[in-house]
Amino acid sequence: MNRDTRHSYPIIFALVVAIAPHTPDLPAWIIVWCVFMWGYMVVRLKTGWPLPGPILRHILAAAGITGLLLFFSVRIDADAFVGLMAVMAAIKPFEMATHRHRMITVLLTYFIIITSLFRSESLWIVLYLFFSVFVTTAALIHINRPEGRYRPSIFLAARILAQAIPLMVLLFLVFPRLQHGLFSMEAPGTGRSGFSERLGFGSISRMTLDQSLAFRVAFDGALPPPNALYWRGIVFDRFDGTRWLPADNPGDIPFVPENGPDLVRHTITLEPHKSRRLFALDRPVAAPPGAELTAGYTLVSGQRVTRKKTYQAVSCIRTAGDNNGKTGTLLPDPVFTHSDNNPKARLLARSMAEGTADAHGKIQQILAYFTENDFTYTLSPPRLGDHPMDEFLFETRQGYCEHYAGALAFLLNIQEVPARVVGGYLGGELNPYGNYLSIRQSFAHAWVEAYTSDRGWIRIDPTLAVSPNRLEQNPDGSFSYSGTTRDAISVFKKMGFMLEAVNLAWEAWFTGYSFSEQKALLQRLGFGTSWGTGTVYFLLLTLSVMVVAVFFWMFLHRSGVRKKDPVATGYALFCRRLARIGLARPPDQGPMDYLLTVQAKRPDLGPEAAAITDIYIRIRFHRTCPDNLTKQFIDQVKQFTPARQAGQ
Amino acid sequence: MMTPLFEKIVHQVGSVVLGKEPQIRLALACIFARGHLLIEDLPGIGKTTLAKVLARCMGLKFQRMQFTSDLLPGDILGMSVFDQHAATFTFHPGPIFTQVFLADEINRATPKSQSALLEAMEEEQVTIEGETRALEAPFFVIATQNPLEQAGTFPLPESQMDRFLMRIHLGYPDRKAEKEILRGTGAEPAMAALQPFMDKAGVLKIQAAVEQVHVSDTFLAYLQDILEFTRTSGTFQFGLSPRAGLSLSRAARAWAYLHGRDHTLPEDLQQVLPWVAGHRLRSSTDLAEFSKDRLMDIFKKVPVPV
């Protein structure tokens, strides 16, 4: 019992610490499962309740795996992998009776710790991992020291970790970086689609509560004015009666302007979102490497953005008129896949169109219609049915940005003014300490672009007609540039900004330390000039060989020390063989007492053990002993193979 | 098991001092290691009886002396008295001139008297009126201390405690032994029936043989590990002195000899360790002494070298 307790507490604690960072992303049943199993184990140590036997353990393992299969079905990704580790780690403490199992559990714990890096490489996670490694190392030391005090183990673990840090830094800096990561693992759990490829009524207002980050932006020069913070992502120009669908015209390289005063260069760090869309300030004019600019002035990456992606974008914030006179061929033909939908809205559009012929006039007319007819702006608009446009315009009259943008674009298209809905984000929150903008999912926005013959595509934001504040204030209540006046913000907010800036600087350094950075560093230190892949692999190989050689040398050195004293080796072997059958020698036990213990527990081994112990004592403690005794001792120990059970 | 001779002695002494065999064995080891014994216990536990029986079994002379605060060194050592007939000073030896000397409640005497005894213990000689007189070997002191009544006592300083090879506690007899005591007619008749197993020469021979017990390198390594541990672990206020190390080695050798071996094993050291080290070590945190079990627990941290 005592021994059990001494070993179980630290291991269970290490497991809890290792799993903890996964809790937000693990399914609830796995967390309940873990808490229950570990809780039972801890309570059991106090109450002496029985351990589940092998049959029950197998049933538990099967149940856990079944649960995983049901939950993840056939999805084999990092989430499922972490889930499997958690489920197994929960029941592992039930079979920690032997030292070997305890060691396996601790090694498993180290593995779980590593998996936290799948999710995030933020400073906090990395600091937490240090703590976690420390706890697990202390547990590892503790289970290898029979005496029951924690303090020495904790000190030793701290010392080992402290000694490891210089090596860690060195390896981080000079170990050849692999350009695509070792496992090129997809970030799990970030199933956030961000923008969907279908814009229905409610698909943006649904995102208003999602405070997670969409991307961060740092500007090369001065910050653009708040009314220019439109982040363009996707263009919808087809309406099927209930939803807007994206433009079907990728690949064309549109007009690229010369350098101009309105060009804004900025660096965007986009969170993974599992689509190929890249966001940039409205309107991007040049594509970063690996991406292309579509005819709708959106950026599309060559690959899905499954890892955090940082890219440079150049945008022209003077959106109107750039392509005046050059876009005749690009003029889209809005396709209404079904023309029998929303009849009342169509009727309204046609009746409005009779008054004016000018596109600008038509736009103003519709915006006026919104302001004059009691339309309200709400974060939680009512659900709409089969003819959403009709319901919105004539019944509910409550909407979020996608309602107004959708309605405006729809009405304009009926009036034969080419118009499209643009999806993206509006606004941003300035972090004064890092001087960058954070754009959250809740800042998602939709607006309209209409084609006018004199100025080309112009941006119209109908939301501002009903809620002029939206330009200054983000949906979560924060203000775009509140951070510029640092005194105005609360202490907590300030602290939040500061921590975020610190973390971002860390991530930029830690995750951004790439192969080329390493090369630059080494060059500064005076090593090498041009490394190809071959050189890298050669270096890797050399380094590995060196590490293996060092370990081999240490191994030889160790066994060399032992060889000097074959009696100690022999007696250690004797003790190990007995330990294997559960008769380990406590380090403070002398040979005679040990023999008595062995004889008491396994009388069948008595004579053999007595003979070996006798020779050992003669060699070690007698005044003189014959020279050939050592050889005889070694031989006897080697022949000594105790059976696990008496009589086998 | 000890060798038959010593088992017989233990048995014989045990038939008078009932239920105290472990202490009897330790006391025997203490005698043969040429050490002195400090018994810390309450009055009426059997300290005097133990000392007397030991002395008789080994055919040694025995003296008992009750220490009090007005005791003078001369009372212990003896003094010269003027003989009017011969018109000379004749030396009247004090009770110290014996072989087993029981100093009862040693902490009641003044430091001056205590040190007179301690010189005798260390040097096996006494100096009276400028004349040094050797004591007859073997010389063995059993001192007792009453740990509870501290009023009007002069507790032995640590440096003087160090002169005692072992300190043991007798403790109350267990129920069965006490029943025997209560049923019996007292220790006197039983003691009268005792036959000595050896004489003075025999004791000296055994003491010499104990010195010859072999101490191997491995054993010394273990002993040194233990000394090192007491000095560096931070558990103890002060570590063990080299004299304490020597005491440990001697006690372990005696223990090995009593068990019929001519070499020491780590187990011998472990057996005598709490009794040899107990009165020499204090906790570094509260300066209190350790109980025997606690001490054995602490020394479990020192692995036995293989």
Side-chain angles (χ1 to χ4, degrees):
Chain A
M1 192 68 204
N2 186 20
R3 191 181 186 81
D4 229 17
T5 319
R6 279 205 314 252
H7 290 132
S8 297
Y9 279 131
I11 294 181
I12 293 178
F13 182 63
L15 277 172
V16 169
V17 170
I19 288 281
H22 289 294
T23 41
D25 301 291
L26 280 176
W29 71 266
I30 293 186
I31 295 168
V32 172
W33 166 279
C34 289
V35 169
F36 177 78
M37 300 298 173
W38 291 331
Y40 180 85
M41 197 64 199
V42 170
V43 172
R44 192 196 81 85
L45 293 175
K46 287 257 179 275
T47 60
W49 289 346
L51 264 181
I55 297 175
L56 186 54
R57 286 207 298 268
H58 281 98
I59 292 174
L60 279 175
I65 289 173
T66 313
L68 285 169
L69 285 178
L70 289 179
F71 191 83
F72 291 102
S73 60
V74 288
R75 212 174 90 214
I76 308 294
D77 59 3
D79 261 341
F81 174 69
V82 171
L84 177 69
M85 300 278 277
V87 164
M88 289 305 160
I91 50 178
K92 185 69 197 167
F94 292 146
E95 47 166 31
M96 292 200 307
T98 64
H99 185 69
R100 185 170 153 272
H101 279 295
R102 289 190 286 268
M103 290 297 285
I104 290 175
T105 314
V106 172
L107 295 182
L108 177 78
T109 315
Y110 279 115
F111 211 68
I112 294 175
I113 294 173
I114 290 273
T115 57
S116 295
L117 283 177
F118 289 167
R119 298 190 186 282
S120 160
E121 292 173 336
S122 79
L123 179 60
W124 321 125
I125 282 289
V126 172
L127 288 179
Y128 185 86
L129 292 193
F130 270 102
F131 170 70
S132 198
V133 167
F134 167 67
V135 168
T136 311
T137 308
L140 175 65
I141 294 169
H142 191 78
I143 61 170
N144 281 288
R145 279 151 98 98
E147 71 263 32
R149 280 173 72 225
Y150 289 105
R151 200 198 280 234
S153 311
I154 290 171
F155 282 147
L156 183 59
R159 239 174 48 206
I160 290 176
L161 282 198
Q163 286 166 349
I165 282 175
L167 187 65
M168 178 194 78
V169 172
L170 186 75
L171 284 180
F172 176 75
L173 290 178
V174 304
F175 193 83
R177 308 292 288 179
L178 300 172
Q179 262 141 314
H180 300 292
L182 203 48
F183 305 109
S184 59
M185 198 71 183
E186 275 190 18
T190 43
R192 314 185 196 295
S193 49
F195 259 91
S196 69
E197 299 281 304
R198 306 273 179 275
L199 182 73
F201 290 92
S203 53
I204 293 187
S205 54
R206 208 179 295 136
M207 293 160 73
T208 52
L209 293 178
D210 185 357
Q211 279 301 313
S212 62
L213 190 71
F215 52 91
R216 289 199 179 92
V217 189
F219 293 95
D220 280 4
L223 298 170
N227 66 7
L229 296 179
Y230 281 86
W231 306 99
R232 193 182 182 92
I234 181 166
V235 167
F236 303 94
D237 62 1
R238 290 182 299 149
F239 185 66
D240 71 352
T242 52
R243 294 175 306 172
W244 288 85
L245 306 176
D248 229 353
N249 50 356
D252 290 332
I253 310 288
F255 165 75
V256 179
E258 306 295 316
N259 280 349
D262 295 318
L263 288 186
V264 175
R265 290 173 194 282
H266 52 291
T267 307
I268 294 184
T269 309
L270 184 63
E271 298 291 318
H273 64 123
K274 295 198 170 168
S275 105
R276 293 168 55 201
R277 303 278 167 195
L278 300 183
F279 293 86
L281 201 60
D282 196 20
R283 199 176 273 179
V285 292
E292 57 185 23
L293 192 59
T294 66
Y297 288 99
T298 57
L299 297 174
V300 177
S301 163
Q303 291 167 331
R304 293 195 306 146
V305 186
T306 50
R307 330 184 93 225
K308 196 179 268 203
K309 184 178 173 71
T310 302
Y311 54 92
Q312 294 260 341
V314 185
S315 298
C316 177
I317 57 172
R318 188 167 47 85
T319 53
D322 286 346
N323 47 359
N324 191 10
K326 298 189 182 178
T327 54
T329 52
L330 293 175
L331 209 153
D333 180 20
V335 181
F336 291 79
T337 46
H338 305 283
S339 55
D340 53 345
N341 55 52
N342 302 297
K344 286 198 264 179
R346 284 165 196 269
L347 220 59
L348 172 76
R350 289 196 190 100
S351 71
M352 287 167 109
E354 282 162 15
T356 55
D358 171 43
H360 294 290
K362 286 174 179 169
I363 293 165
Q364 289 310 320
Q365 204 178 16
I366 298 169
L367 292 180
Y369 179 80
F370 289 145
T371 43
E372 287 159 15
N373 284 295
D374 252 3
F375 278 86
T376 50
Y377 178 73
T378 171
L379 298 184
S380 48
R383 290 178 70 89
L384 301 174
D386 290 341
H387 296 288
M389 216 61 93
D390 284 2
E391 286 175 47
F392 169 61
L393 287 171
F394 300 104
E395 291 164 30
T396 65
R397 296 196 170 175
Q398 297 174 25
Y400 197 56
C401 54
E402 75 268 32
H403 296 71
Y404 294 100
L408 176 63
F410 179 81
L411 294 175
L412 283 175
N413 273 311
I414 304 288
Q415 296 175 1
E416 292 175 350
V417 176
R420 57 196 185 188
V421 178
V422 183
Y425 298 86
L426 171 59
E429 195 175 12
L430 180 73
N431 185 325
Y433 298 95
N435 211 29
Y436 58 83
L437 284 174
S438 298
I439 286 88
R440 305 188 184 286
Q441 293 295 351
S442 61
F443 300 178
H445 191 59
W447 61 93
V448 174
E449 277 182 340
Y451 188 80
T452 58
S453 50
D454 54 339
R455 295 176 58 204
W457 288 105
I458 56 168
R459 180 170 72 210
I460 312 149
D461 192 347
T463 310
L464 301 183
V466 283
S467 171
N469 290 340
R470 176 65 182 89
L471 200 55
E472 306 287 334
Q473 191 174 12
N474 298 319
D476 63 353
S478 61
F479 292 89
S480 301
Y481 285 163
S482 64
T484 46
T485 51
R486 290 187 186 183
D487 304 331
I489 49 178
S490 74
V491 177
F492 291 113
K493 193 94 184 168
K494 244 191 233 175
M495 200 112 98
F497 278 141
M498 238 187 280
L499 292 179
E500 198 189 60
V502 168
N503 182 36
L504 208 67
W506 158 262
E507 276 188 40
W509 179 77
F510 178 63
T511 51
Y513 185 73
S514 63
F515 179 65
S516 53
E517 306 254 334
Q518 185 175 42
K519 232 163 82 171
L521 175 83
L522 288 176
Q523 244 159 24
R524 246 176 294 147
L525 294 176
F527 298 105
T529 43
S530 57
W531 284 7
T533 323
T535 324
V536 171
Y537 282 108
F538 175 73
L539 267 178
L540 261 177
L541 194 74
T542 319
L543 209 66
S544 315
V545 168
M546 269 164 63
V547 168
V548 170
V550 166
F551 275 102
F552 190 65
W553 180 80
M554 280 163 68
F555 174 76
L556 279 185
H557 184 70
R558 260 181 70 150
S559 49
V561 166
R562 275 198 199 149
K563 274 208 183 84
K564 278 184 196 155
D565 193 353
V567 181
T569 322
Y571 192 67
L573 179 66
F574 171 69
C575 295
R576 259 205 318 281
R577 293 220 164 129
L578 282 169
R580 212 175 291 155
I581 61 163
L583 294 170
R585 181 179 73 92
D588 65 306
Q589 201 168 43
M592 209 67 189
D593 284 349
Y594 185 43
L595 174 66
L596 293 177
T597 318
V598 172
Q599 280 174 333
K601 288 197 177 154
R602 290 289 301 276
D604 58 312
L605 297 177
E608 235 181 318
I612 291 174
T613 306
D614 181 52
I615 302 179
Y616 174 69
I617 287 176
R618 277 166 72 185
I619 298 173
R620 268 285 183 262
F621 297 103
H622 278 219
R623 195 182 299 271
T624 52
C625 70
D627 288 341
N628 60 350
L629 213 55
T630 303
K631 197 182 167 303
Q632 189 191 340
F633 174 66
I634 307 269
D635 290 346
Q636 284 215 10
V637 170
K638 279 187 180 157
Q639 283 164 17
F640 178 65
T641 46
R644 193 161 282 279
Q645 244 127 56
Q648 274 184 5
Chain B
M1 281 293 279
M2 289 183 168
T3 49
L5 170 67
F6 298 116
E7 277 301 327
K8 252 191 263 168
I9 299 180
V10 171
H11 185 73
Q12 180 103 42
V13 178
S15 68
V16 182
V17 186
L18 294 164
K20 293 285 162 245
E21 297 206 346
Q23 285 86 345
I24 295 167
R25 287 167 203 271
L26 286 166
L28 275 181
C30 195
I31 291 175
F32 295 133
R34 292 181 198 248
H36 303 285
L37 184 66
L38 179 64
I39 305 179
E40 207 173 75
D41 228 316
L42 302 170
I45 290 286
K47 295 176 294 230
T48 315
T49 316
L50 174 65
K52 264 190 200 171
V53 177
L54 275 177
R56 179 175 278 259
C57 284
M58 269 164 286
L60 299 177
K61 285 187 275 181
F62 174 76
Q63 283 286 347
R64 171 180 183 278
M65 187 162 202
Q66 181 68 41
F67 277 37
T68 56
S69 55
D70 54 359
L71 190 79
L72 293 173
D75 299 336
I76 308 171
L77 307 178
M79 61 187 82
S80 297
V81 176
F82 186 67
D83 186 344
Q84 286 186 329
H85 298 293
T88 52
F89 282 96
T90 12
F91 180 66
H92 286 251
I96 192 88
F97 287 89
T98 182
Q99 282 166 325
V100 176
F101 180 71
L102 175 65
D104 228 347
E105 301 208 63
I106 187 172
N107 55 341
R108 293 221 166 269
T110 54
K112 194 175 178 181
S113 310
Q114 285 174 7
S115 50
L117 175 68
L118 292 166
E119 187 213 342
M121 283 164 57
E122 186 67 14
E123 318 282 340
E124 298 207 2
Q125 63 183 29
V126 293
T127 309
I128 307 151
E129 295 157 6
E131 194 179 332
T132 300
R133 293 161 203 269
L135 295 171
E136 192 183 357
F139 176 66
F140 179 56
V141 172
I142 301 179
T144 71
Q145 256 198 118
N146 183 339
L148 286 186
E149 294 169 32
Q150 294 296 329
T153 62
F154 303 91
L156 293 177
E158 278 85 356
S159 61
Q160 303 204 341
M161 296 275 265
D162 205 22
R163 310 278 173 97
F164 290 96
L165 182 77
M166 287 188 195
R167 183 190 62 178
I168 61 171
H169 305 273
L170 278 184
Y172 294 112
D174 60 19
R175 208 178 161 80
K176 182 165 156 268
E178 189 153 26
K179 189 175 172 190
E180 287 296 309
I181 294 169
L182 295 175
R183 188 203 302 279
T185 53
E188 289 308 322
M191 215 180 309
L194 286 180
Q195 290 300 315
F197 285 90
M198 56 185 78
D199 55 6
K200 195 176 85 179
V203 173
L204 287 173
K205 217 174 95 190
I206 293 174
Q207 284 183 341
V210 163
E211 306 246 299
Q212 294 304 312
V213 169
H214 179 60
V215 177
S216 67
D217 284 347
T218 315
F219 176 86
L220 283 181
Y222 183 47
L223 176 56
Q224 283 193 300
D225 286 349
I226 282 181
L227 295 179
E228 180 80 17
F229 176 78
T230 63
R231 293 164 194 170
T232 56
S233 71
T235 317
F236 306 106
Q237 188 195 8
F238 299 111
L240 290 174
S241 63
R243 175 156 66 189
L246 206 55
S247 303
L248 277 171
S249 161
R250 270 161 56 196
R253 273 187 290 189
W255 193 260
Y257 183 82
L258 291 179
H259 288 78
R261 277 182 275 110
D262 65 348
H263 55 272
T264 47
L265 291 180
E267 283 90 338
D268 298 323
L269 188 55
Q270 290 171 350
Q271 287 298 323
V272 298
L273 182 61
W275 315 111
V276 179
H279 57 294
R280 295 173 158 105
L281 291 173
R282 277 163 193 278
S283 156
S284 63
T285 49
D286 54 4
L287 303 188
E289 287 178 357
F290 293 97
S291 68
K292 177 211 167 202
D293 292 339
R294 176 88 186 91
L295 211 55
M296 287 172 82
D297 242 25
I298 291 172
F299 282 113
K300 278 201 173 129
K301 276 179 214 150
V302 185
V304 175
V306 277

